[in-house]
Amino acid sequence: MARRLYRLHLLTSALRVAGDAIESVALPWSLLQSTGSLLSIGGFVLFTHLPWVLLPPVLGLTLDRTTKKVRLAFLSYFFRLFWPLR
């Protein structure tokens, strides 16, 4: 049973990574097709990656100053909220 669950987890993880890779190409390509502007793709990439650049330092400082229970609760809610997006 554990081996079967591991294989299912491995399969779904591989499908998620493949889907993310396809999405990372398809969205800018679709944007280029609809607007024809490289500047719009640059803005798209900037605003999709900006939270991953700005949030970790702020969240790291915040989590370092809290107790462990609050930290774990915050992290679990954060991952539940944002993990499926990327």
Side-chain angles (χ1 to χ4, degrees):
M1 182 68 173
R3 179 172 274 169
R4 182 172 185 261
L5 289 176
Y6 175 74
R7 287 182 183 164
L8 285 174
H9 175 68
L10 191 63
L11 176 66
T12 57
S13 294
L15 289 174
R16 182 189 56 85
V17 169
D20 287 346
I22 291 169
E23 179 189 21
S24 69
V25 172
L27 285 176
W29 194 354
S30 170
L31 187 63
L32 180 63
Q33 292 295 320
S34 64
T35 64
S37 168
L38 291 177
L39 187 61
S40 64
I41 294 175
F44 172 77
V45 170
L46 174 70
F47 287 113
T48 55
H49 288 85
L50 200 59
W52 296 105
V53 173
L54 296 179
L55 287 179
V58 174
L59 293 176
L61 287 174
T62 304
L63 291 175
D64 285 342
R65 295 180 182 164
T66 59
T67 63
K68 287 186 179 184
K69 289 181 184 178
V70 173
R71 242 185 259 175
L72 290 175
F74 180 79
L75 281 175
S76 68
Y77 283 126
F78 181 79
F79 283 130
R80 284 185 69 187
L81 183 63
F82 292 112
W83 192 263
L85 293 179
R86 196 108 241 271

